[in-house]
Amino acid sequence: MTSAQPAAATSAPRVRAPHLYEVDVVRILTFACVIAVHTTSHTAAADDVGLYALLGLVHFTREVFFALSGFVLVYSYLSKPVPMKKFWPRRFLLVGVPYVVWSAIYFVSANIYSPYGTIPEMVGRFALKLVTGNAWYHLYFLLVTMQVYLLVPVIVWLIRKTRGHHVALLVTAGVFQLALTAVYAYVPDLPEWLGGYAKVYFFSYLFFILLGAVAADHAQQLLAWVRGHRALIGWVTLATGLVTLGVFAFQHLALGFSLYRSGTPLQPILMVWSVAVGLGFLAVGSWWADRRRPTSFVARGVDVASDRSFGIFLSHPLVLWILLWVGGDWVPNHVATPWLTLVAYVVVLVGAAAITELARRSPVSLPLTGRPWIYRRTKPRPAAVASPGAGGPPPD
């Protein structure tokens, strides 16, 4: 597909697809679990089987994230196609700028106590961190997201070309990713370019990206099916969770894997579990959307949480770092596990939410949260230059 094709698609007026409040809930629940992943992994004692089992269960987040990304991109694009020359600059502005800014913040944080090397050497190291997504442990997600942005014309073309054969497309992608994650999990001594950077390649999540894209092409049918099968989805999610815990126990006890490796996200069983959790979250989201009252306090809270979720994702490791490392050993020495994990979770969530709220109301909102400054969005403008929707974020 060339950039001219999307441009041609805009010749006929299109109506933007309705906002899916179900997706807001999926986003919020997934971001909440991301914070659980990081607080648990940094506070669990080395021999705490329970917390590492929990960590294995919440390690579905990256897969659900990329399914959600594929869904949002294709859902919004199919309802209102835009030329790539407009699509790419806007998307890269809202993700690429925060990626560079937060990479710089975390790079400085990592070197603040023991910087080494000349300035050119430090610049070179920072450039390598940017290319590999390793300035901090969560920023690879933005790097993969930008890869998906680049692939949007291919993804849309593939979804359209394979209509009527989407099951075959997903089975093919699923088999590929199951085999790839089996290699990641069970083949020792992989080359560094593959094993060392597995999480930063888009093809490590190909099935989930396409799953989200296919789901977007069948959004109304999917949501209708979910609404009619919530109980079934709940039982399937519970059963899949028990199987996932069984695999965790087998890998630790029979194969001798470490507690962390037994629950690592890039392994076949986590693919199955991630699909179940994604459906479970969507079932919860559909339940919420059916009962949502737009003017209620809870509805406004969910809307705000969805809007702030990306900023909280970006900043929460900084709060965790300050809590556990900058503050010395005071917190770990005064709060015993597993309560340390719970306390850290609450503190990190509140701290990241505060940072995000302050940033959203300042001129640095876009680089720190990926969203335009609230003041600028709500400031009255002369009627002659007002434009509905201008300056707002893309329909995430």
Side-chain angles (χ1 to χ4, degrees):
M1 176 184 287
T2 65
S3 59
Q5 288 171 302
T10 63
S11 57
R14 301 272 184 134
V15 177
R16 176 169 293 188
H19 184 85
L20 298 179
Y21 293 100
E22 300 90 337
V23 174
D24 289 343
V25 173
V26 176
R27 179 185 290 109
I28 292 168
L29 292 175
T30 306
F31 274 114
C33 290
V34 168
I35 298 177
V37 168
H38 296 149
T39 53
T40 302
S41 62
H42 286 292
T43 58
D47 58 351
D48 195 324
V49 177
L51 281 179
Y52 273 103
L54 171 65
L55 182 61
L57 285 178
V58 294
H59 251 156
F60 63 82
T61 50
R62 62 180 71 178
E63 284 83 0
V64 174
F65 260 138
F66 292 121
L68 184 62
S69 296
F71 181 93
V72 168
L73 287 170
V74 173
Y75 181 76
S76 60
Y77 185 89
L78 290 178
S79 67
K80 191 174 183 180
V82 295
M84 288 297 107
K85 64 182 180 181
K86 292 183 178 179
F87 174 90
W88 278 325
R90 189 179 188 195
R91 288 287 176 171
F92 281 105
L93 175 69
L94 298 178
V95 172
V97 172
Y99 175 68
V100 173
V101 170
W102 278 103
S103 293
I105 291 171
Y106 285 112
F107 183 79
V108 171
S109 301
N111 292 275
I112 195 169
Y113 289 131
S114 57
Y116 60 90
T118 64
I119 291 180
E121 289 171 340
M122 296 285 283
V123 171
R125 287 173 52 223
F126 177 64
L128 181 62
K129 297 289 187 182
L130 280 180
V131 172
T132 59
N134 285 327
W136 211 253
Y137 49 75
H138 68 313
L139 291 174
Y140 74 92
F141 168 69
L142 279 71
L143 188 61
V144 178
T145 298
M146 288 186 282
Q147 295 173 48
V148 176
Y149 288 170
L150 287 174
L151 291 170
V152 163
V154 177
I155 294 171
V156 172
W157 173 85
L158 185 62
I159 294 303
R160 287 171 170 164
K161 201 72 174 177
T162 59
R163 280 176 177 155
H165 306 281
H166 283 166
V167 172
L169 173 67
L170 292 180
V171 168
T172 302
V175 170
F176 166 79
Q177 192 172 333
L178 281 169
L180 183 61
T181 54
V183 170
Y184 289 151
Y186 302 118
V187 176
D189 303 322
L190 287 173
E192 178 66 15
W193 65 267
L194 180 60
Y197 297 99
K199 68 180 182 180
V200 304
Y201 298 132
F202 80 90
F203 54 76
S204 293
Y205 315 99
L206 181 63
F207 168 74
F208 288 94
I209 295 167
L210 292 179
L211 178 65
V214 168
D217 200 39
H218 303 275
Q220 299 309 317
Q221 300 96 310
L222 171 64
L223 291 173
W225 184 88
V226 168
R227 283 182 164 84
H229 297 84
R230 288 178 187 140
L232 174 63
I233 292 170
W235 285 111
V236 168
T237 304
L238 176 61
T240 309
L242 293 175
V243 172
T244 302
L245 288 174
V247 173
F248 171 89
F250 175 79
Q251 292 184 149
H252 178 59
L253 299 175
L255 301 183
F257 287 7
S258 68
L259 288 171
Y260 182 85
R261 185 183 175 192
S262 297
T264 187
L266 290 177
Q267 59 172 307
I269 188 59
L270 259 295
M271 282 187 60
V272 181
W273 172 232
S274 299
V275 172
V277 172
L279 276 175
F281 282 179
L282 194 57
V284 174
S286 70
W287 179 90
W288 156 252
D290 291 346
R291 291 158 178 79
R292 180 181 181 273
R293 291 185 293 114
T295 58
S296 69
F297 175 80
V298 176
R300 291 196 297 270
V302 171
D303 293 345
V304 170
S306 179
D307 177 87
R308 308 303 195 263
S309 58
F310 186 47
I312 293 172
F313 168 79
L314 291 167
S315 61
H316 80 271
L318 181 65
V319 181
L320 183 60
W321 176 70
I322 293 171
L323 178 68
L324 296 180
W325 286 280
V326 175
D329 296 328
W330 190 93
V331 175
N333 287 341
H334 288 77
V335 182
T337 57
W339 299 111
L340 174 60
T341 301
L342 179 60
V343 169
Y345 184 90
V346 173
V347 171
V348 168
L349 180 59
V350 171
I355 291 173
T356 302
E357 194 62 32
L358 289 172
R360 290 287 281 116
R361 299 176 183 279
S362 75
V364 296
S365 179
L366 191 146
L368 292 184
T369 73
R371 298 278 186 172
W373 182 12
I374 287 179
Y375 173 76
R376 293 187 61 189
R377 291 177 63 192
T378 58
K379 182 180 178 181
R381 289 173 294 181
V385 297
S387 177
D396 298 345

